[in-house]
Amino acid sequence: MKTITIEGQLRSEFGKKATRQIRSEEKVPCVIYGGAETVNFSAPAKEFKNLVYTADFQLAEIKLDGKVYRCVLKDLQFDVVTDELSHVDFLELVEDKLVTVTLPIKLVGSSVGVKAGGKLVSKLKALKVKTLPKNLVENIEVNIDNLELNENIRVEDVKVEGIEITNSPRIPIASVVMTRQLRQEEATAEKESKKK
């Protein structure tokens, strides 16, 4: 799994004045939760680019004063005026502690419904899951080979070992819908058979 390394400095001063000072130095105030202790730090804004502005699920390796924290991105805040990153929350990965994250869905295979002339419609981009850190994956692969025309693959159809999916089971992930051209062809074929 892809890991982004972020080097930062521990924070000793807090409050609006200290936070403003950090932001004026083009750094982002951050917090790491979930481990033995809560860690406050700051890091240069440019270090977050590959972690924040991507649809990929990635781990963050945060280096602070010789100590390394393995984390996942938990929450982001942006400035309402400038749209710059203003705060980041991380969740530290602890081996025997369940973690809740959002993993992107990757549709794999080629649907029989699409081969028959239908159109694939992706309805859900990611799944919310609960798992141990060792089971984390970059994405959840959903095979669409058997997806027929006018059918759906739902959350309940996805099974991944060691990962509990917390989305509602009836939500559709992908479906194959009939295209206008296919409907017209069927209507024309029906008219032809009535004429005979």
Side-chain angles (χ1 to χ4, degrees), residues 161-196:
E161 199 173 318
I163 294 179
E164 177 193 341
I165 299 170
T166 59
N167 296 67
S168 173
R170 299 293 299 151
I171 295 174
I173 291 173
S175 60
V176 174
V177 295
M178 197 178 280
T179 60
R180 187 180 302 145
Q181 183 183 353
L182 196 60
R183 279 197 295 266
Q184 287 171 342
E185 285 172 11
E186 281 188 359
T188 308
E190 216 172 280
K191 282 179 189 171
E192 293 299 317
S193 66
K194 283 180 181 174
K195 281 181 186 175
K196 292 175 185 173

